[in-house]
């Protein structure tokens, strides 16, 4: 029993449960075969209905709920939103299985937009229940297990379809069972006591509380505790005065009580500071994007993520157009599995490259975006399914390579709170661009273009990104070379003069 209690109090317990949730919620065997399922005899929907009427709803719903979900996730302290996400995923899967009409499928896409927007809770939860020194391991585990889930789902779907072991409907029932396991694991997650923005504990208040308790026990003096945390002597003097006053106030107020008042004050910080938190978020937002380098990297993030999401969302429609027979779809799962594994290997390998990304990164963004544009152009110009498959794998690997570099460069000089803010803002910008493109190009209320013209626009879109960032990268390199020449060391004669004067 003691061993169980010890394990439940350890950081591995919430991490394990979150990984179980992440795995079972991402194993979706039918996802690579969704278009054949919707347009086949089970649902009898047309490709135009799926492409121009059903899929665009996901983009609109995602945009409409992203900001509220982002704020509610932090205010509710993550776990309720994780459970809510799984409930929405269960509803989405059930609607795919049991509904057939276009309005019902549009409602299903709305619920799936809520699921996607709620992913912020999954990626933020772990930072509220583990120590700072465990962040890297916990992040690695939670992200890797999601990729494993996607890969297992693709491979499993490929096997079930290729060997005709299950019908599409039975595969959906199996997916419902997996989602139920994920829902159970999400309910078992421990509730965090704090969050990044609304329920942050202030260090000085906590220090005052600890100092009060220590003085009562006669074990540790308040000034000794402060000297361990502060490095500047001037700051130490100021903090000693402030905290000693706080300590005296807390001690006076709490003389007749068993529990110090400072604890109660910490718990109420999140409840009464909503306007202050929003104001601080805005100030942090302005300060983060005042950096030109961060602004350019974030601009690429938003633009490229928009194009990537559009490509991934509609690529199965393109594959069906290139080879409309039912035999083409038996390879979709394998292609998705290969693309996920190669993308993971590419993202992992970039961590071992010794490149000055602050100098060469923008040129890399432009060059590799150009290769992605070329891959998309091949998908539309060559009517061959294997060319489409290969180009898709290349395109996905290039995007994962670049987004990994961008994430690293942006996160390098930011705190966890500001990184979460920039991450959300960049994705929101990508979603705004995606909504504009969807409403104009894809939606039947707009141009309602067929799939080939759509992908022609996507390849042109990435070509524009490539040109912009290639020019910016060349300018950055030229500027760095000029600054290097301007700060070159003095010649030998100047060095001798300096030496003679003793400098």
């Amino acid at each position: 029993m003691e061993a169980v209690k010890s394990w439940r109090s350890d950081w591995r317990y919430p991490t394990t449960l979150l990984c179980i949730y992440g795995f079972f919620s991402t194993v979706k065997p039918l996802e690579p075969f969704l278009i054949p399922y919707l347009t086949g005899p089970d649902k009898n929907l047309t490709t135009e209905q799926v492409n121009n009427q059903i899929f665009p709803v996901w983009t609109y719903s995602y945009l409409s709920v992203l900001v509220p979900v982002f704020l509610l996730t932090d205010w509710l302290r993550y776990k309720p939103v994780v459970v809510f996400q799984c409930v929405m995923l269960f509803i989405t899967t059930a609607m795919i299985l049991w509904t057939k009409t276009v309005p019902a499928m549009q409602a299903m896409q709305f619920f799936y937009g809520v699921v996607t927007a709620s992913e912020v809770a999954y990626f933020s939860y772990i930072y509220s229940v583990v120590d700072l020194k465990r962040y890297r391991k916990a992040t690695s585990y939670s992200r890797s297990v999601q990729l494993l889930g996607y890969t297992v789902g693709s491979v499993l779907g490929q096997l079930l379809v290729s060997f005709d072991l299950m019908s599409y409907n039975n595969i959906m029932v199996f997916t419902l069972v997996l989602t139920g396991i994920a829902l159970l694991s999400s309910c078992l997650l421990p509730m965090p006591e704090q969050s990044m923005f609304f329920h942050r504990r202030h260090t000085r208040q906590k220090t005052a509380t600890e100092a009060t308790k220590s003085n009562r026990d006669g074990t540790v003096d308040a000034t000794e505790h402060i000297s361990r945390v502060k490095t500047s002597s001037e700051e130490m003097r100021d903090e000693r005065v402030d905290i000693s006053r706080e300590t005296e106030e807390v001690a006076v107020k709490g003389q007749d009580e068993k529990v110090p008042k400072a604890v109660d004050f910490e718990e109420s910080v999140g409840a009464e500071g909503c306007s202050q938190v929003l104001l601080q978020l805005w100030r942090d937002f302005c300060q983060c994007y005042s950096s030109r380098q961060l602004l350019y990297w974030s601009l690429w993030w938003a633009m490229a993520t928009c194009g990537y999401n559009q490509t991934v969302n509609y690529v199965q429609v393109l594959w069906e157009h290139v080879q409309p027979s039912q035999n083409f779809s038996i390879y979709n799962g394998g292609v998705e599995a290969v693309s996920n594994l190669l993308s993971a290997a590419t993202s992992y390998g970039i961590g071992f490259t010794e490149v000055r990304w602050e100098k060469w990164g923008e040129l890399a963004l432009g060059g590799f975006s150009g290769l992605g544009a070329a891959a998309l152009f091949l998908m539309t110009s060559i009517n061959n399914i294997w060319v489409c498959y290969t180009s898709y794998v290349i395109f996905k690997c290039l995007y994962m390579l670049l987004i990994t570099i961008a994430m690293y460069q942006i996160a390098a000089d930011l705190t966890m709170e500001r990184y979460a803010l920039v991450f959300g803002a960049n994705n929101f910008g990508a979603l705004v661009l995606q909504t504009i493109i969807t409403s104009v190009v894809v939606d039947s209320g707009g141009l309602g273009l067929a799939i080939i013209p759509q992908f022609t626009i996507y390849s042109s879109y990435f070509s524009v990104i490539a040109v912009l960032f290639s020019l910016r990268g060349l300018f950055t390199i030229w500027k760095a070379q000029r600054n290097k020449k301007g700060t070159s060391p003095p010649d030998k004669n100047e060095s001798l003069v300096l030496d003679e004067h003793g400098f």
Side-chain angles (χ1 to χ4, degrees), residues 243-453:
I243 294 180
S244 61
R245 289 174 181 171
E246 293 176 3
T247 303
E248 291 172 2
E249 292 176 2
V250 172
V252 170
K253 292 179 181 179
Q255 282 177 352
D256 300 326
E257 298 179 22
K258 294 182 180 180
V259 181
K261 290 288 186 181
V263 177
D264 295 333
F265 180 72
E266 284 183 14
E267 295 299 328
S268 65
V269 167
E272 65 182 13
C274 183
S275 59
Q276 289 87 347
V277 168
L278 294 178
L279 181 61
Q280 186 61 43
L281 285 174
W282 173 248
R283 289 173 178 170
D284 286 351
F285 175 85
C286 295
Q287 187 170 356
C288 287
Y289 287 97
S290 63
S291 167
R292 272 192 184 179
Q293 186 177 11
L294 185 144
L295 181 62
Y296 289 130
W297 283 90
S298 297
L299 180 63
W300 178 89
W301 181 328
M303 295 177 68
T305 300
C306 164
Y308 172 79
N309 288 340
Q310 287 294 103
T311 301
V312 172
N313 287 346
Y314 296 95
V315 72
Q316 287 190 39
V317 182
L318 177 66
W319 291 343
E320 186 177 14
H321 175 84
V322 171
Q323 190 169 333
S325 66
Q326 291 297 318
N327 292 330
F328 90 98
S329 61
I330 65 172
Y331 301 108
N332 288 8
V335 172
E336 290 289 354
V338 170
S339 65
N340 284 331
L341 289 175
L342 290 180
S343 298
T346 304
S347 302
Y348 181 75
I350 201 66
F352 297 93
T353 57
E354 297 294 334
V355 178
R356 292 179 56 196
W357 294 115
E358 66 277 4
K359 178 179 179 181
W360 299 98
E362 290 169 351
L363 186 61
L365 295 179
F368 286 120
S369 296
L371 292 178
L376 293 178
F377 180 75
L378 287 177
M379 294 172 71
T380 58
S381 60
I382 299 179
N383 194 30
N384 185 287
I385 190 62
W386 295 108
V387 173
C388 282
Y389 282 154
T390 305
S391 299
Y392 174 72
V393 172
I394 293 173
F395 170 80
K396 194 169 183 178
C397 289
L398 290 172
Y399 171 79
M400 291 300 175
L401 168 73
L402 294 178
I403 197 66
T404 302
I405 299 172
M407 284 180 167
Y408 171 77
Q409 285 298 114
I410 290 175
D413 298 320
L414 294 178
T415 62
M416 185 59 64
E417 292 85 357
R418 287 188 173 181
Y419 178 68
L421 177 63
V422 171
F423 180 88
N426 291 348
N427 283 339
F428 181 76
L431 199 52
V432 170
L433 290 174
Q434 191 177 345
T435 302
I436 295 172
I437 293 176
T438 299
S439 60
V440 174
V441 176
V442 183
D443 200 312
S444 56
L447 297 177
L449 297 180
I451 195 64
I452 293 296

Side-chain angles (χ1 to χ4, degrees), residues 143-177:
R143 290 182 180 272
S144 299
V145 80
Q146 265 202 330
L147 181 62
L148 178 63
Y150 284 122
T151 304
V152 170
S154 299
V155 173
L156 184 60
Q158 182 72 72
L159 295 174
L160 294 175
V161 172
S162 297
F163 294 99
D164 199 19
L165 301 176
M166 280 188 183
S167 65
Y168 286 150
N169 281 331
N170 289 337
I171 293 176
M172 290 305 299
V173 173
F174 176 61
T175 306
L176 276 177
V177 175

Side-chain angles (χ1 to χ4, degrees), residues 236-248:
M236 279 199 293
R237 287 194 298 270
D238 296 337
E239 292 293 330
R240 283 194 186 102
V241 173
D242 293 339
I243 294 180
S244 61
R245 289 174 181 171
E246 293 176 3
T247 303
E248 291 172 2

Side-chain angles (χ1 to χ4, degrees), residues 18-32 85-86 89-90 93 112 115-116 119 122-123 141-157 174-183 185 336-337 340:
L18 193 70
C19 288
I20 293 173
Y21 169 78
F23 177 79
F24 285 102
S25 64
T26 53
V27 177
K28 303 173 184 176
L30 196 65
E31 191 169 79
Q85 180 193 30
C86 202
L89 182 60
F90 192 91
T93 308
Y112 189 63
V115 172
T116 312
E119 282 188 357
Y122 175 83
F123 291 116
Y141 296 155
S142 59
R143 290 182 180 272
S144 299
V145 80
Q146 265 202 330
L147 181 62
L148 178 63
Y150 284 122
T151 304
V152 170
S154 299
V155 173
L156 184 60
F174 176 61
T175 306
L176 276 177
V177 175
L178 297 177
T179 307
I181 297 174
L183 180 59
S185 64
E336 290 289 354
N340 284 331

